[in-house]
């Protein structure tokens, strides 16, 4: 095994110009043996564990308290304040990394928008967050589901133009001549004096007051930047109250004239007409400048909407960027009303995703700071800009911003200050700064992770272990420990350590590190598996700190792995599926996609794996690729149905399934129809109908992998399983399917199906068969059946959790401890242990057990149970806090609403 050294990166980033091709491909067919002299340097360059970044997110010390405060404020604030509160809630969930909750908060901000400008900003933000879902919008093109589409600005901004009573009296009392002639150069335009004077107070005074123009029949307007054509159009408007069809340039000329002479009705008409003509980015930029200069709110809003809905592409246009950066506050208020902070929050986030250290990002964040109105907004703006200044090595400015963020109440910004001290080689100050925020009451994983960067030896080891204990989702501690183990040439220990987190969190950087470990071990087959899994998750992923495309490294490693035929791949996929080895399955499918195999089917199977690995965005991308590569119309309709189903459009998914079946009866179409029918809400669905659909599916041709899956879904009682697990996406469908045979008591028929599924090596059928044994009051056999699944499955945390239902209390306790070690994100073990402690009257220990998980996972059921425990103890304030936080996670949860009402009224 090659030697390995961990990169100590507390100082400035080390530069390494190592070319991976020179390391991998010295000669074709053989990877190089490194000399002892170059070994250390080369491997360090290949496997470098970077410092965790200071994240540009809002990370409160107690997010539960913050969510509760937001919920309380929403109950009493004015409608105008609600959207900004939901925006702040979005920032809390962003710090927690929960994409679904982030999008829900944005939707609520959009729904509660108090102005068309906020509607535009949040609608565009939602569109940006849903990049890649254009196909879904196309499938729903004729339905109202595309609710975040462009706003009809003109209908949302009403007319406020009124003629005062005093002006009306003066107008009616005027005895001047009926006509007035306006001369522009050599041309004369005859206008009705009375009608023209009604355009504005200045014209009324000019034509009906004490000025010489009042008695003159001809007035020269040659020096007023209005053309004869423009004046004729204005004259027509004065008579009819409407504009004729005019080219944009003439409309702009009239707009400027109308604004100069306070012709509000004329200006509004031009404003609205021009707003309807915005059809390109170039139009939007040009017309926005006029809108800001002439205070044209409808035109400005229309231009803004066009530009924001073109993000991120439009930020590559300097004209667009300059528009947002150079407009003063008054002009920006014309553009976006009261939504200044939301606008720059959105723009800065998009720009940071493109390039966090760019000038554009920094300047957008400067404007965010400029328009922050309260401490919540200020601490977010200060911290974000501080992170960008740190990346740009503008250390003095970064320090000032982090200090301001800390003073505003954002303790996490201390991490930024510690980094700055470390850069100045004052690690002892960094250590002290982080230690100052740790207390017996306040102890978070990131604090110990951060402090570990500024100490060595046992102190670092202890801090990293504590970081993992408090927040097992932090990636850096596992990576550092794996690197340290490799340094001592303990490769198996390094793999065990990195596999700990990959068992429940499919982290790209961890897969990358494991890839390099396998390279160091010259296990090229395993290295190929990991790089192909990486490319499945992120096709454009780059390694070596972004210097080399992962696809390039795959090509190099592939030369050292035996070529597999399509038949070999299918056999390997069959084995992986049976062994519940999802990462290996992803890798095999990736390799098969390079062959002439039916790509639609392979992409579809890839999407199923990615869903199981909790990678919904990648799963949707694969599902859309399946649609693009469908080999027939009926197959394409099935993929459209799954796309609609997975995005919550069950009835539309059902319709697609029926359309597919009308063309050809297929396994996937019937399977989709069973799912969609169960979740469509179309009245009372007869269980026999679902059974019939699944039987139809089993009679259709398909590979054994899917038939085994349907037999598993077909027979299992899922109710208790999913009550315990609360999975996303298919919960209700699986619940309905699983309850069919329980309701009918057909346990022998269920067992027969499971046994058939096991015969084609569908390993998960052990779980269903165990359930049947349990329902027959044979818990020992159920326990043994689940043990078989544990022995066969590579990913077996869920199997341990299910087996815990069939053992005695000590066995259950041991199984659930194993579940937490394998997958600390599964919440049932914490709830079970807390319930046992509560039964033993150990209230504080029970609450502490729940708090342990709540610290890193915002879960409704954990918060609900802790609120109930607090209520039981008589701690009304803590119970109310947890209720409010839980309702921030799911505002429609009925039991939570009832508990909140009861606690809020101080009922026992």
């Amino acid at each position: 095994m090659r030697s390995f050294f961990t990169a100590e990166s507390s100082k400035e980033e080390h530069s390494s110009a190592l070319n991976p091709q020179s390391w991998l491909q010295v000669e074709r067919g053989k990877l190089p043996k490194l000399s002892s002299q170059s070994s250390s340097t080369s491997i360090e360059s290949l496997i470098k564990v970077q410092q965790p970044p200071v994240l540009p997110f809002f990370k409160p010390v107690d997010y539960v308290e913050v969510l509760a405060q937001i919920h309380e404020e929403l109950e009493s604030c004015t409608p105008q304040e609600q959207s900004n509160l939901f925006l702040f809630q979005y920032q809390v969930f962003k710090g927690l990394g929960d994409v679904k909750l982030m999008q829900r908060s944005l939707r609520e901000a959009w729904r509660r928008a108090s102005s068309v400008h906020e509607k535009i900003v949040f609608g565009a933000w939602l569109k940006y967050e849903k990049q890649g879902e254009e196909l879904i919008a196309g499938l729903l093109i004729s339905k109202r589901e595309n609710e975040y589409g462009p706003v009809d600005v003109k209908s949302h901004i009403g007319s406020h133009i009124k003629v005062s009573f005093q002006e009306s009296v003066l107008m009616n009392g005027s005895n001047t001549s009926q006509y007035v002639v306006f001369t522009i150069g050599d041309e004369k335009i005859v206008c009705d004096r009375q009608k023209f004077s009604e355009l504005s107070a200045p014209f009324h005074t000019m034509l009906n007051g004490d000025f010489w123009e009042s008695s003159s029949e001809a007035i020269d307007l040659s020096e007023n930047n209005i053309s004869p054509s423009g004046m004729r159009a204005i004259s027509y408007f004065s008579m009819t109250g409407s504009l004729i069809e005019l080219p944009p340039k003439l409309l702009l000329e009239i707009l400027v004239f109308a604004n100069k002479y306070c012709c509000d009705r004329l200006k509004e008409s031009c404003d609205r007409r021009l707003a309807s003509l915005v059809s390109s980015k170039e139009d939007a930029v040009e017309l926005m400048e006029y809108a800001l200069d002439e205070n044209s709110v409808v035109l400005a809003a229309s231009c803004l909407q066009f530009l924001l809905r073109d993000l991120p592409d439009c930020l590559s246009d300097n004209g667009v960027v300059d528009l947002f950066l150079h407009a003063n506050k008054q002009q920006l208020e014309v553009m976006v009303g009261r939504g200044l902070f939301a606008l720059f929050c959105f723009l800065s986030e998009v720009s940071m995703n493109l390039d966090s250290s760019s000038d554009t990002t920094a300047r957008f964040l400067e404007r965010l700071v400029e328009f922050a109105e309260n401490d919540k907004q200020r601490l977010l703006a200060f911290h974000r800009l501080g992170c960008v200044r740190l990346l740009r090595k503008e250390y003095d400015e970064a320090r000032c911003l982090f200090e301001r963020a800390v003073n505003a109440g954002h303790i996490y910004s201390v991490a930024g200050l510690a980094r700055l001290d470390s850069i100045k080689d004052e690690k002892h100050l960094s250590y002290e700064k982080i230690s100052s925020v740790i207390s017996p009451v306040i102890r978070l994983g990131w604090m110990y992770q951060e402090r570990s960067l500024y100490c060595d030896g046992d102190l670092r080891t202890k801090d990293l272990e504590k970081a993992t204990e408090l927040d097992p989702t932090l990636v850096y501690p596992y990576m550092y420990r794996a690197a340290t183990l490799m340094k001592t040439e303990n490769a198996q220990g390094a793999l065990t350590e990195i596999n700990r987190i990959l068992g429940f969190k499919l982290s790209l950087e961890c897969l990358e590190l494991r890839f390099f470990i396998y390279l160091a071990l010259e296990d090229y087959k395993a290295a190929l598996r990991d790089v192909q899994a990486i490319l499945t998750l992120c096709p454009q992923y780059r390694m070596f700190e972004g210097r080399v495309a992962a696809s390039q490294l795959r090509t190099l490693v592939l030369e050292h792995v035996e070529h597999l035929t399509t038949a070999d791949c299918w056999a390997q996929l069959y084995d992986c599926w049976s062994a519940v080895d999802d990462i290996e399955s992803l890798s095999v499918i990736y390799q098969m996609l390079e062959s002439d195999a039916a790509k639609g089917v392979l992409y579809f199977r890839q999407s199923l794996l990615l869903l199981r690995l909790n990678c919904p965005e990648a799963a949707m991308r694969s599902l859309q690729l399946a649609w693009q590569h469908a080999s027939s119309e009926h197959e394409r309709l099935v993929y459209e149905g799954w796309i609609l189903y997975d995005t919550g459009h069950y009835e539309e998914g059902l319709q697609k399934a029926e359309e597919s079946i009308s063309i050809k009866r297929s396994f996937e179409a019937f399977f989709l129809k069973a799912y969609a029918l169960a979740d469509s809400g179309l009245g009372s669905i007869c269980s026999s109908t679902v059974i019939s659909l699944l039987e139809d599916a089993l009679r259709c041709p398909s590979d054994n992998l899917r038939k085994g899956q349907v037999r598993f879904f077909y027979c299992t009682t899922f109710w208790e399983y999913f009550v315990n697990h609360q999975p996303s996406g298919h919960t209700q469908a699986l619940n309905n399917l699983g309850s069919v045979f329980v309701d009918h008591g057909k346990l022998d028929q269920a067992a027969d199906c499971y046994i058939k599924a096991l015969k084609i090596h569908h390993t998960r059928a052990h779980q269903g068969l165990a359930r049947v044994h349990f329902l027959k009051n044979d818990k020992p056999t159920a326990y043994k059946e689940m043990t078989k699944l544990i022995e066969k499955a590579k990913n077996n945390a869920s199997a341990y959790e299910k087996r815990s239902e069939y053992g005695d209390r000590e066995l259950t306790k041991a199984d659930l401890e194993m579940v937490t070690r394998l997958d600390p994100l599964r919440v049932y073990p914490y709830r079970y242990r807390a319930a046992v402690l509560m039964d033993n009257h150990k209230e504080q220990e029970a609450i502490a057990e729940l708090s342990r998980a709540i610290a890193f996972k915002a879960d409704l059921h954990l918060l609900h149970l802790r609120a109930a425990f607090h209520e039981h103890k008589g701690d009304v304030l803590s119970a109310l806090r947890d209720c409010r936080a839980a309702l921030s996670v799911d505002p429609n949860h009925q039991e939570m609403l009832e508990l909140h009402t009861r606690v809020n009224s101080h009922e026992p």
Side-chain angles (χ1 to χ4, degrees), residues 775-841:
L775 292 173
K776 289 182 175 182
N777 295 317
D778 188 356
K779 285 180 67 175
T781 304
Y783 188 91
K784 290 178 182 177
E785 197 67 38
M786 286 306 302
T787 302
K788 294 177 185 177
L789 175 56
I790 289 169
E791 291 169 350
K792 293 179 181 179
K794 187 174 181 68
N795 303 316
N796 53 19
S798 64
Y800 276 107
E801 182 167 312
K802 190 63 182 175
R803 191 177 72 171
S804 71
E805 299 176 23
Y806 308 135
D808 58 33
R809 174 163 284 199
E810 288 305 312
L811 289 174
T812 295
K813 181 181 177 181
D815 276 350
L816 292 180
E817 288 294 342
M818 178 62 74
V819 173
T820 299
R821 282 199 296 274
L822 294 173
D823 184 355
L825 294 178
R826 302 183 81 90
V827 301
Y828 174 69
Y830 301 97
R831 295 169 61 204
Y832 176 88
R833 288 190 291 264
V836 170
L837 289 166
M838 203 67 181
D839 285 344
N840 292 329
H841 307 290

Side-chain angles (χ1 to χ4, degrees), residues 163-180:
V163 179
S164 72
F165 174 76
Q166 182 181 5
E167 286 180 0
S168 299
V169 171
L170 290 170
M171 290 173 186
N172 294 335
S174 176
N175 295 317
T176 54
S177 61
Q178 182 177 356
Y179 298 103
V180 62

Side-chain angles (χ1 to χ4, degrees), residues 127-145:
K127 177 181 180 293
Y128 172 77
E129 292 289 336
K130 291 178 175 292
Q131 288 179 94
E133 295 187 12
E134 291 79 6
L135 173 58
I136 301 166
L139 295 174
L140 298 167
I141 194 73
S142 61
K143 301 186 69 64
R144 67 171 182 83
E145 280 86 344

Side-chain angles (χ1 to χ4, degrees), residues 719-746:
W719 182 84
E720 185 172 354
Y721 178 79
F722 283 102
V723 163
N724 291 341
H725 293 66
Q726 297 89 37
S728 60
H730 298 351
T731 305
Q732 191 56 51
L734 296 179
N735 183 62
N736 291 342
L737 288 168
S739 64
V740 170
F741 285 106
V742 174
D743 293 341
H744 287 74
K746 299 178 180 178

Side-chain angles (χ1 to χ4, degrees), residues 438-506:
I438 300 175
S439 72
V441 178
I442 302 174
R443 297 187 306 162
L444 297 174
W446 68 259
M447 296 175 179
Y448 288 92
Q449 173 180 274
E450 189 67 24
R451 193 171 71 172
S452 75
L453 304 177
Y454 314 119
C455 55
D456 299 301
D458 289 343
L459 284 177
R460 173 173 283 193
T461 300
K462 289 178 181 178
D463 272 354
L464 288 173
E465 288 295 341
K466 192 66 177 179
T468 299
E469 176 191 332
L470 294 172
D471 185 353
T473 67
L474 293 172
V475 169
Y476 175 77
Y478 301 94
M479 295 180 69
Y480 181 86
R481 287 190 292 264
T484 302
L485 288 164
M486 281 296 287
K487 184 178 179 180
T488 61
E489 300 196 0
N490 184 354
Q492 193 54 51
L495 288 172
T496 299
E497 182 63 32
I498 207 66
N499 287 339
R500 282 176 63 192
I501 189 165
L502 286 172
F504 66 90
K505 183 176 182 178
L506 205 54

Side-chain angles (χ1 to χ4, degrees), residues 431-578:
Y431 189 90
E432 290 171 5
K433 274 190 172 65
I434 301 299
S435 297
S436 69
V437 300
I438 300 175
S439 72
V441 178
I442 302 174
R443 297 187 306 162
L444 297 174
W446 68 259
M447 296 175 179
Y448 288 92
Q449 173 180 274
E450 189 67 24
R451 193 171 71 172
S452 75
L453 304 177
Y454 314 119
C455 55
D456 299 301
D458 289 343
L459 284 177
R460 173 173 283 193
T461 300
K462 289 178 181 178
D463 272 354
L464 288 173
E465 288 295 341
K466 192 66 177 179
T468 299
E469 176 191 332
L470 294 172
D471 185 353
T473 67
L474 293 172
V475 169
Y476 175 77
Y478 301 94
M479 295 180 69
Y480 181 86
R481 287 190 292 264
T484 302
L485 288 164
M486 281 296 287
K487 184 178 179 180
T488 61
E489 300 196 0
N490 184 354
Q492 193 54 51
L495 288 172
T496 299
E497 182 63 32
I498 207 66
N499 287 339
R500 282 176 63 192
I501 189 165
L502 286 172
F504 66 90
K505 183 176 182 178
L506 205 54
S507 159
L508 287 169
E509 58 257 65
C510 289
L511 280 172
E512 180 180 351
L513 177 60
R514 193 170 72 174
F515 166 79
F516 287 128
I517 292 174
Y518 282 125
L519 282 186
L521 294 172
E522 300 183 16
D523 186 346
Y524 306 124
K525 183 178 178 181
L528 181 65
R529 175 200 62 204
D530 283 351
V531 77
Q532 289 182 160
I534 287 170
L535 288 166
T536 300
L537 291 165
C538 184
Q540 307 304 319
Y541 190 78
R542 300 183 68 82
M543 295 181 171
F544 294 104
E545 301 171 23
R547 296 199 299 273
V548 181
S551 57
Q552 182 183 358
L553 288 177
R554 175 188 178 268
T555 301
L556 298 173
V557 173
L558 193 59
E559 295 183 10
H560 307 279
V561 178
E562 181 183 358
H563 175 72
L564 297 179
T565 66
T566 300
D568 293 333
C569 288
W570 274 111
Q572 189 175 350
L573 181 60
Y574 193 85
D575 292 340
C576 295
W577 199 272
S578 298

Side-chain angles (χ1 to χ4, degrees), residues 116-117 120 150-157 270-281 283-285 287-288 291-292 296-310 323-324 334-336:
V116 66
H117 303 100
I120 287 170
V151 175
D152 183 358
V153 175
K154 291 186 290 184
S155 67
H156 279 76
I157 301 179
C270 288
D271 191 7
R272 291 175 180 276
R273 180 72 62 82
L274 285 164
S276 66
L277 301 178
V278 181
S279 60
S280 70
K281 179 179 64 179
D283 288 344
V285 172
L287 293 174
M288 179 68 90
L292 299 183
S296 300
V297 291
V298 179
L299 178 57
S302 296
C303 294
L304 175 69
Q305 177 164 250
F306 194 95
L307 294 174
L308 294 186
R309 297 187 73 83
D310 191 38
L323 197 61
F324 292 118
V334 173
M335 184 192 301
V336 74

Side-chain angles (χ1 to χ4, degrees), residues 561-762:
V561 178
E562 181 183 358
H563 175 72
L564 297 179
T565 66
T566 300
D568 293 333
C569 288
W570 274 111
Q572 189 175 350
L573 181 60
Y574 193 85
D575 292 340
C576 295
W577 199 272
S578 298
V580 197
D581 188 345
D582 295 335
I583 295 178
E584 182 73 34
S585 297
L586 282 180
S587 176
V588 175
I589 290 173
Y590 185 92
Q591 197 156 338
M592 293 173 73
L593 284 166
E594 293 189 335
S595 70
D596 295 328
K599 288 183 169 53
V601 173
L602 289 171
Y603 277 122
F604 179 61
R605 186 173 304 287
Q606 188 182 78
S607 74
L608 297 175
L609 285 164
L610 289 166
L611 275 177
R612 197 157 69 208
L613 289 165
N614 195 29
C615 302
E617 293 179 5
M620 181 55 68
R621 183 178 64 244
S622 295
L623 195 48
Q624 292 188 16
L625 286 168
W627 175 82
Q628 291 173 19
H629 290 87
S631 60
S632 63
E633 177 66 11
H634 73 84
E635 184 183 343
R636 182 183 64 80
L637 287 166
V638 167
Y639 300 147
E640 287 182 1
W642 280 116
I643 288 169
L644 290 165
Y645 176 87
D646 284 346
T647 52
H649 303 286
Y650 305 127
E651 293 182 32
E652 291 77 9
L654 176 60
Q655 183 180 345
K656 294 291 182 181
E658 290 172 342
E659 288 179 34
S660 180
I661 291 169
S662 70
I663 298 173
K664 182 180 178 180
R665 294 167 64 87
S666 70
F667 173 90
E668 294 296 354
F670 280 113
F671 196 38
L672 168 63
K673 185 174 180 180
Y675 264 71
L677 190 63
D679 262 0
S680 63
L682 298 176
S684 177
I685 304 300
C686 179
S687 59
S688 60
T689 304
V690 176
I691 293 173
S692 176
L693 288 169
L694 293 172
E695 288 173 341
D696 285 337
L698 289 168
R699 283 192 285 267
C700 295
S702 180
D703 61 84
N704 280 338
L705 296 177
R706 288 289 273 168
K707 283 198 173 182
Q709 185 179 13
V710 116
R711 286 195 175 99
F712 178 60
F713 288 163
Y714 180 41
C715 309
T716 308
T717 296
F718 285 90
W719 182 84
E720 185 172 354
Y721 178 79
F722 283 102
V723 163
N724 291 341
H725 293 66
Q726 297 89 37
S728 60
H730 298 351
T731 305
Q732 191 56 51
L734 296 179
N735 183 62
N736 291 342
L737 288 168
S739 64
V740 170
F741 285 106
V742 174
D743 293 341
H744 287 74
K746 299 178 180 178
L747 300 181
D748 290 338
Q749 185 177 345
D752 182 59
C753 287
Y754 288 128
I755 291 168
K756 288 180 180 178
L758 286 169
K759 285 180 179 178
I760 57 174
H761 301 286
H762 192 77

